[in-house]
Amino acid sequence: MTSAAFALFAASSQAGEVTPLPAETPIGGPLWSYLVPALLLAVAAFGTFILYRHFAEREE
């Protein structure tokens, strides 16, 4: 299975230059490029901090 997938990948990569699809992206702009990733990073960092504090209090 993996050798067939590798052969397909190798054949497609040798086919030449890949052209992008002529389609508009549904989302874009500074909101989706900067604000949403920053909010996701902040939520993940806060969750990590809360988990760290929860498990750091336990001593066995």
Side-chain angles (χ1 to χ4, degrees):
M1 175 70 182
T2 58
S3 61
F6 179 74
L8 181 63
F9 174 74
S12 66
S13 66
Q14 293 175 357
E17 186 176 325
V18 178
T19 59
L21 294 174
E24 292 291 324
T25 57
I27 58 176
L31 175 74
W32 292 102
S33 297
Y34 300 108
L35 187 61
V36 171
L39 287 174
L40 289 174
L41 178 64
V43 168
F46 181 71
T48 302
F49 177 71
I50 294 299
L51 284 171
Y52 170 75
R53 288 198 38 160
H54 174 74
F55 289 109
E57 293 176 358
R58 293 185 178 185
E59 290 191 27
E60 293 181 23

